[in-house]
Amino acid sequence: MESDRGGTNDIEEGRLLDAELPWVERPGWVAPWTLKPGLYSKDFEEGISNSRPSLMDAQRLSDGKTVYLKHTSKDSPEIEIGQLFSSEKLRHDPRNHCLPVLDVLKNDDDPEHVILVIPWLRRIDSPEPASVREDCAWGNIMMDGRRLFPLGWHPQQWEVYPNGKIMTGSDPSRTAVGGVRYYFIDFGISTKDQDEVLGIHGQELSPELSDKVPYNPYKLDVYILGMAYQHFLVERHSGLDFIRPLIEYMTPPKPSERPSAAEALQRWNTIASGLSFLALSQRLYPKDEEPDSKLSRTLKDTSYRIRDIWWTATVSRKPPRPLV
């Protein structure tokens, strides 16, 4: 196997380049629950199955970081776009929220595919945001959750620790740990430097998607992000009427009536400037939460404030190590 960084690197004794593969991929590995009667796979970290065949976790030997290995077509635009945003010029730009590509591995036995080495991230709804100011994304956006879970989590099952033990206790607040950073991922159907594109694929069924009539991909992005706010925030939580005007501004059916990304950001800044600290830091109310009496809601709000103060005082706000 060969890396785009040069040199030949073979899969040998369970090591792939600078990465250590999961136990089950190592030569000679034996399932520990088969060694003694009365043991069950669910009780072992090695017994957690891979939920996505094209995505496997590994550990980078040079620094101990967990990474993902993603099997993809050698012609996928994800490679060029990922490497562009991972370049030295753009990697440290604070405006860059694109998932960095750490390496691209080529395999002579499978010349039509490559393996992307990418950072270890977490779904943005795991845990759910606790206050208004915490989140603005969905779908192909993930977060660096290391501030929330300094002990880590299992790459294939996020509600357990890396050793397979179930997490207990309440989830920390993102604001209490100093915030988390979000990343756009999965550029497999993305384009570069094109003002008009064709295509009908994507997570959001946008009005203009077509394989015959070209459309503006930038106005499509604005629509998709507006619908992300709708799905992730408004549809799942109550008390967020202040964000509805932004969503309506970003999601007209006609692309020509939508703002640019810069104009949408300006609109949000205007809306946010009119919100008080109390409004921005209030507890989010899930719509599936049982109806509360005024006393019950007050008690839950007070409990959230106390936990938030405790998290702020006890959880490290020190930035985690860089992803790359």
Side-chain angles (χ1 to χ4, degrees):
M1 183 161 289
E2 182 180 297
S3 166
D4 267 6
R5 295 180 181 176
T8 298
N9 302 271
D10 298 320
I11 299 178
E12 183 179 355
E13 296 181 355
R15 299 180 189 276
L16 173 64
L17 280 179
D18 185 26
E20 188 170 32
L21 299 176
W23 294 101
V24 295
E25 302 295 335
R26 301 179 192 177
W29 176 81
V30 177
W33 54 88
T34 65
L35 301 178
K36 184 179 178 180
L39 299 181
Y40 302 94
S41 61
K42 65 181 180 63
D43 297 323
F44 293 84
E45 184 271 335
E46 302 95 318
I48 298 176
S49 60
N50 189 342
S51 58
R52 296 183 61 183
S54 64
L55 197 63
M56 182 173 69
D57 59 280
Q59 189 174 53
R60 196 160 64 179
L61 298 175
S62 58
D63 55 13
K65 286 182 180 178
T66 300
V67 295
Y68 282 123
L69 306 177
K70 182 177 182 180
H71 185 257
T72 189
S73 168
K74 69 178 180 61
D75 299 319
S76 171
E78 187 170 15
I79 301 169
E80 179 185 5
I81 293 175
Q83 289 181 316
L84 170 66
F85 286 107
S86 303
S87 65
E88 194 63 32
K89 178 181 178 181
L90 298 178
R91 181 186 303 169
H92 303 294
D93 190 322
R95 299 170 298 175
N96 181 4
H97 285 263
C98 296
L99 179 70
V101 172
L102 308 179
D103 209 342
V104 180
L105 313 179
K106 300 175 182 178
N107 187 353
D108 291 339
D109 294 330
D110 185 13
E112 296 304 311
H113 296 87
V114 298
I115 295 176
L116 301 183
V117 183
I118 56 179
W120 176 44
L121 296 179
R122 190 176 179 93
R123 283 175 59 105
I124 61 171
D125 63 342
S126 177
E128 290 278 0
S131 65
V132 169
R133 58 182 170 176
E134 287 194 354
D135 244 311
C136 296
W138 189 235
N140 279 342
I141 304 180
M142 298 186 73
M143 68 177 177
D144 179 1
R146 291 175 297 166
R147 276 183 167 176
L148 293 171
F149 302 96
L151 297 179
W153 61 91
H154 194 280
Q156 301 296 338
Q157 196 166 323
W158 296 341
E159 66 273 17
V160 303
Y161 290 112
N163 62 4
K165 302 298 183 183
I166 297 176
M167 294 181 179
T168 58
S170 57
D171 295 319
S173 160
R174 301 177 202 198
T175 51
V177 299
V180 298
R181 188 169 180 83
Y182 299 94
Y183 289 89
F184 292 95
I185 68 165
D186 198 355
F187 300 102
I189 57 173
S190 300
T191 59
K192 177 176 174 288
D193 298 329
Q194 295 186 35
D195 293 328
E196 289 189 332
V197 298
L198 294 171
I200 58 174
H201 301 291
Q203 292 191 20
E204 184 66 45
L205 298 179
S206 309
E208 64 264 42
L209 292 182
S210 172
D211 55 4
K212 296 180 180 179
V213 180
Y215 53 87
N216 185 320
Y218 306 108
K219 292 298 182 77
L220 173 63
D221 286 343
V222 170
Y223 178 89
I224 291 173
L225 193 55
M227 292 305 297
Y229 302 152
Q230 172 70 20
H231 297 321
F232 183 54
L233 294 175
V234 174
E235 292 178 3
R236 298 168 68 153
H237 304 90
S238 58
L240 294 176
D241 290 341
F242 64 85
I243 203 174
R244 290 183 185 274
L246 175 66
I247 295 173
E248 294 171 357
Y249 182 54
M250 297 173 68
T251 58
K254 293 183 179 180
S256 60
E257 297 177 358
R258 298 173 201 157
S260 65
E263 291 169 336
L265 176 60
Q266 184 177 19
R267 177 65 63 91
W268 165 244
N269 287 336
T270 300
I271 294 172
S273 66
L275 299 173
S276 67
F277 172 80
L278 287 178
L280 286 172
S281 59
Q282 69 175 325
R283 182 175 72 91
L284 281 178
Y285 304 112
K287 286 190 173 180
D288 59 2
E289 187 176 89
E290 291 295 324
D292 289 331
S293 65
K294 186 174 181 179
L295 175 60
S296 176
R297 176 159 289 194
T298 299
L299 290 174
K300 287 183 178 180
D301 290 347
T302 302
S303 175
Y304 166 74
R305 294 287 185 188
I306 293 173
R307 292 200 314 271
D308 198 55
I309 293 172
W310 182 83
W311 281 322
T312 302
T314 60
V315 177
S316 173
R317 299 171 68 92
K318 181 181 179 181
R321 294 178 298 172
L323 281 179
V324 295

